[in-house]
Amino acid sequence: MSEQKLEVFNVLNFLNKGYEIGYVLNEGNFGTFPSGQDCIDYLVENGYLAGEGGATAEDLSKKYKVADLKELLKENGLKVSGKKQELIERLLPVLNEGSGSGDYELTPKAKEFLAENEWIDLYMFALVAFRFEDYEIYVNNSSDDMIQTAHNFCDEILSKALIANQFLVFIDALTAKAHVFAYAGDYESFLDYDLQRFILGLNPIMLDSTNYVKYDIVDTANIVNIKKVTEEFDFGSLKKRFDKIWAKSNIKNTTVPKKTAYKILLKAIDGADLEELNLDLREKYFDKKFGI
């Protein structure tokens, strides 16, 4: 039920933000529904959506033979292989393009559902690295507001990960906490936590050889975040902030020295090839340490 709740929220949220039905059907993830159209049908039947949408899978199945569907797909530059139902699902977004979300209206029930479950939007923005069911339980047991609840959740994971020596989980929680700050509009704290994620990425406080094999020392998303926020906001000297966060990180066993780490950060921000950068870091600092 939790997974379906997440899917229902996401579809309603997309439509509420003005996305077209065709986009939702084409881009959505409908794990508990056979197809996107089944999800839309469910929302109509259960009183979340009112009005008429575009063509449905049932409409196309009755109206067209396989040969007709393939011809329509070909005309629209789409693949023509597959069973009839596959062809229909591929064609639906094209036929419904432009019908827009205006053909469906969110009912008062849908708007109430979105308001009551606003925390799901925050989950999708910041916390998707963690199980939805776990976070739903945490939210239901919290008396704090939505933002503070998310921070508390991240803090608990950070603490547990340290105790259990789960560095990759620790890094995910650090990234999530940064994004909770961003969701709340606190981009300065967002930068601080992303810098800490970068620094600890180069100086893992706990990482075994098994996890090292699948570990990216410099993370692409982390660099994109730092680059974007430093370009959009003036928070003063990046070097001074980097030094402050380095000291706060309390690194006891340095893998990559501070001066070198900062130079690597600047290279990454300036557009260096991160794959090559990671290979170089592995060869110079990490492989020997992990017995590679």
Side-chain angles (χ1 to χ4, degrees), residues 113-131:
F113 176 81
L114 287 174
E116 289 177 351
N117 295 284
E118 186 184 359
W119 59 270
I120 299 179
D121 191 49
L122 173 55
Y123 168 82
M124 293 299 298
F125 184 86
L127 301 163
V128 288
F130 307 106
R131 277 168 37 95

Side-chain angles (χ1 to χ4, degrees), residues 47-60:
Y48 291 104
L49 293 178
E52 294 293 331
T56 67
E58 186 178 358
D59 293 336
L60 297 192

Side-chain angles (χ1 to χ4, degrees), residues 65-88 90-91:
K65 296 179 180 179
V66 170
D68 299 323
L69 293 169
K70 288 186 175 183
E71 185 61 32
L72 287 169
L73 287 166
K74 186 176 179 181
E75 289 175 5
N76 285 279
L78 298 172
K79 286 171 57 178
V80 297
S81 60
K83 297 179 180 178
K84 186 174 184 179
Q85 188 59 34
E86 293 174 315
L87 303 182
I88 289 171
R90 200 176 300 143
L91 192 58

Side-chain angles (χ1 to χ4, degrees), residues 246-261:
W246 180 284
K248 179 182 177 182
S249 299
N250 194 27
I251 300 169
K252 292 184 169 61
N253 297 304
T254 302
T255 303
V256 180
K258 183 168 78 169
K259 286 185 179 179
T260 304

Side-chain angles (χ1 to χ4, degrees), residues 254-269:
T254 302
T255 303
V256 180
K258 183 168 78 169
K259 286 185 179 179
T260 304
Y262 185 67
K263 288 179 181 177
I264 291 167
L265 174 63
L266 294 182
K267 282 184 180 179
I269 291 174

Side-chain angles (χ1 to χ4, degrees), residues 118-119 122 135 138-153 180 183-184:
E118 186 184 359
W119 59 270
L122 173 55
Y135 190 61
Y138 195 89
V139 168
N140 289 337
N141 290 323
S142 174
S143 59
D144 291 313
D145 64 39
M146 181 175 71
I147 299 298
Q148 189 58 51
T149 295
H151 280 308
N152 293 343
F153 180 77
V180 173
Y183 188 90

